[in-house]
Amino acid sequence: MSSREQPDASARRQVTVRPTPRLSPFLITGVLVAVVAAVLVVLVTGPAEDYTTAGSLGYLTVAFAMPGLALGAVIWLLIDWRSRKRTRTYDLQKFEAQGSEPAERKPAHGSE
């Protein structure tokens, strides 16, 4: 049998692949929701007596941003937890043609 049919054990390995969402879009969305909520609260209730509209808006934006960040992080954690169900493990095996050097391959666009 040739070496192509029976590679040595060092050429085999297992790889775990799991799709994971990026954290930053969730945090940015949480802050944007907080800014919109702050604008709505200031427009509906008006600014506080001792503050300008911009001052009230800035204060409420900071006050609402913390829960917005926390909410975005919790949603990201839930989606990340759900993505663990789609974890796949693959057995990889390296094959090389006899008498030639391994060619450098570029991954195909959109291939999995």
Side-chain angles (χ1 to χ4, degrees):
M1 295 190 149
S2 70
S3 64
R4 185 174 177 99
E5 294 173 9
Q6 290 184 353
D8 59 355
S10 64
R12 289 182 163 211
R13 64 179 173 162
Q14 283 191 337
V15 176
T16 302
V17 178
R18 179 174 64 98
T20 58
R22 293 180 183 237
L23 178 61
S24 57
F26 290 92
L27 297 180
I28 291 170
T29 302
V31 170
L32 290 177
V33 168
V35 170
V36 169
V39 168
L40 290 175
V41 168
V42 169
L43 289 177
V44 170
T45 63
E49 294 178 17
D50 298 337
Y51 297 101
T52 63
T53 303
S56 294
L57 181 61
Y59 177 78
L60 287 177
T61 299
V62 171
F64 290 168
M66 298 306 165
L69 283 171
L71 182 64
V74 167
I75 291 172
W76 176 80
L77 283 171
L78 291 174
I79 292 173
D80 184 55
W81 177 70
R82 262 187 85 205
S83 73
R84 290 178 190 262
K85 294 177 183 177
R86 291 188 277 164
T87 300
R88 293 186 178 141
T89 303
Y90 297 101
D91 291 324
L92 299 182
Q93 189 171 355
K94 184 176 181 181
F95 289 107
E96 290 183 21
Q98 289 181 341
S100 67
E101 295 181 19
E104 189 173 314
R105 293 182 62 189
K106 294 182 181 178
H109 181 68
S111 66
E112 292 182 11

